[in-house]
Amino acid sequence: MSAIIVSGLVSGALYALVASGLSLVWGSLGVFNFAHGVLLMAGAYVAWWVSAPDGLGLGLPVGILASLTFLIVAGAIFYFLLVRPWVGKANAELAVIMTTIAGSIFMQNLVLEVFGGRFKTIDQLVEGTVTVAGTPIQAQNLLTIILAPLLLVGLWLFLTRNRTGLAIRAVAQNQDAAQLFGISVQRVYILTFAMSAVLAGVAGILLGGLFNISPDMGTDPLLRAFVVVVFGGLGSLPGTILGAYAIGLIEAFASYYIGIYWTPVVLFAVLIAVLVVRPTGLMGRPA
């Protein structure tokens, strides 16, 4: 039982990081970024390439720093290339879906062309096994369980205590009113995409320490993140975090008791059941 809960918490922590970035972009711009999964993948690949002996061999700390720096730039570039041209225009949501899917496919093939299809591995941030309440836990898993909530609390404090974070919330609530108060909406959008990319990249680095990395490693977490965002409530960060851990635990229990192939069926059945009762998700509000 304890092993199942640990597995669910690890999955929930990773889903929370990925889905929070997705929810942040939706809350600010009202669009879904379908390239979010490749940002996760890019974070893992940059960390591997900079740190690994068969890459630049500069060590994992430098690799992580390089990865996070790259993702800040990549998030801003993604916004300028894939989203900004459509902001404020008719059918912007549909256009952004198309452009971000195209960007995602381009990035996957670019990575495949540059680094090949062979699986890569990132050194774990912490190695070994620790025992918690009698349950042996891989240290990297424990780090994931602890680190994700800390980052998300930091994100919440930034959005509720910092002037820039409050500006992001103001734009999300009323873009026109925010502009009247002198808030640069474009800067908020760029910052939102950069923060979203960093959250995805951290998830990619943690995931890369647990499993092999590959060009399509962001696809499944992106699908789960969409389920989490809808499950928790569109645009609701607390709902997204709650939904992520709920989905992670449901997935872990379903995989153990029913079978891994039935897990997606269970997840979507739970999602549909929740939406029947609460069409806005667990903590979403009517538009």
Side-chain angles (χ1 to χ4, degrees):
M1 177 65 75
S2 56
I4 300 173
I5 294 175
V6 169
S7 174
L9 290 176
V10 171
S11 297
L14 292 171
Y15 295 158
L17 287 173
V18 180
S20 294
L22 206 60
S23 179
L24 204 58
V25 169
W26 170 264
S28 298
L29 284 84
V31 297
F32 273 125
N33 176 17
F34 277 79
H36 198 60
V38 295
L39 291 169
L40 179 152
M41 176 270 293
Y45 263 90
V46 172
W48 164 79
W49 180 65
V50 174
S51 64
D54 47 349
L56 296 181
L58 298 178
L60 189 56
V62 179
I64 293 172
L65 184 62
S67 176
L68 299 181
T69 304
F70 171 83
L71 287 164
I72 291 172
V73 177
I77 292 174
F78 270 43
Y79 167 71
F80 276 108
L81 294 181
L82 305 179
V83 179
R84 186 182 178 186
W86 313 104
V87 172
K89 296 184 178 178
N91 297 320
E93 295 87 352
L94 185 60
V96 170
I97 288 173
M98 294 295 107
T99 54
T100 52
I101 288 176
S104 175
I105 295 172
F106 173 80
M107 281 290 292
Q108 282 190 14
N109 283 285
L110 179 63
V111 170
L112 187 61
E113 184 69 24
V114 173
F115 296 110
R118 185 172 61 85
F119 290 143
K120 312 290 190 300
T121 56
I122 302 177
D123 290 339
Q124 294 189 342
L125 294 170
V126 287
E127 297 181 347
T129 303
V130 294
T131 302
V132 178
T135 303
I137 304 174
Q138 194 176 358
Q140 178 84 1
N141 282 337
L142 184 61
L143 175 68
T144 303
I145 293 173
I146 295 172
L147 182 61
L150 291 177
L151 289 175
L152 294 172
V153 168
L155 175 64
W156 177 78
L157 290 174
F158 175 76
L159 292 174
T160 57
R161 300 287 190 272
N162 183 275
R163 288 177 61 87
T164 306
L166 291 173
I168 293 175
R169 295 179 65 199
V171 170
Q173 291 175 7
N174 192 316
Q175 178 183 322
D176 294 332
Q179 282 181 310
L180 289 176
F181 280 93
I183 296 173
S184 171
V185 174
Q186 288 300 324
R187 287 184 184 178
V188 167
Y189 287 168
I190 295 168
L191 178 62
T192 302
F193 257 78
M195 291 171 58
S196 171
V198 168
L199 288 170
V202 171
I205 294 169
L206 291 171
L207 199 60
L210 295 170
F211 305 100
N212 293 323
I213 66 174
S214 62
D216 63 348
M217 65 178 288
T219 303
D220 193 59
L222 179 66
L223 176 62
R224 294 291 194 277
F226 278 121
V227 174
V228 166
V229 170
V230 175
F231 186 77
L234 288 173
S236 169
L237 186 59
T240 298
I241 296 170
L242 176 64
Y245 283 99
I247 292 294
L249 289 169
I250 292 170
E251 188 179 62
F253 278 95
S255 297
Y256 182 80
Y257 287 107
I258 303 176
I260 192 170
Y261 295 109
W262 286 97
T263 301
V265 177
V266 173
L267 288 181
F268 280 102
V270 172
L271 175 64
I272 291 169
V274 169
L275 292 180
V276 167
V277 179
R278 284 186 61 84
T280 58
L282 291 177
M283 299 182 70
R285 296 178 179 176

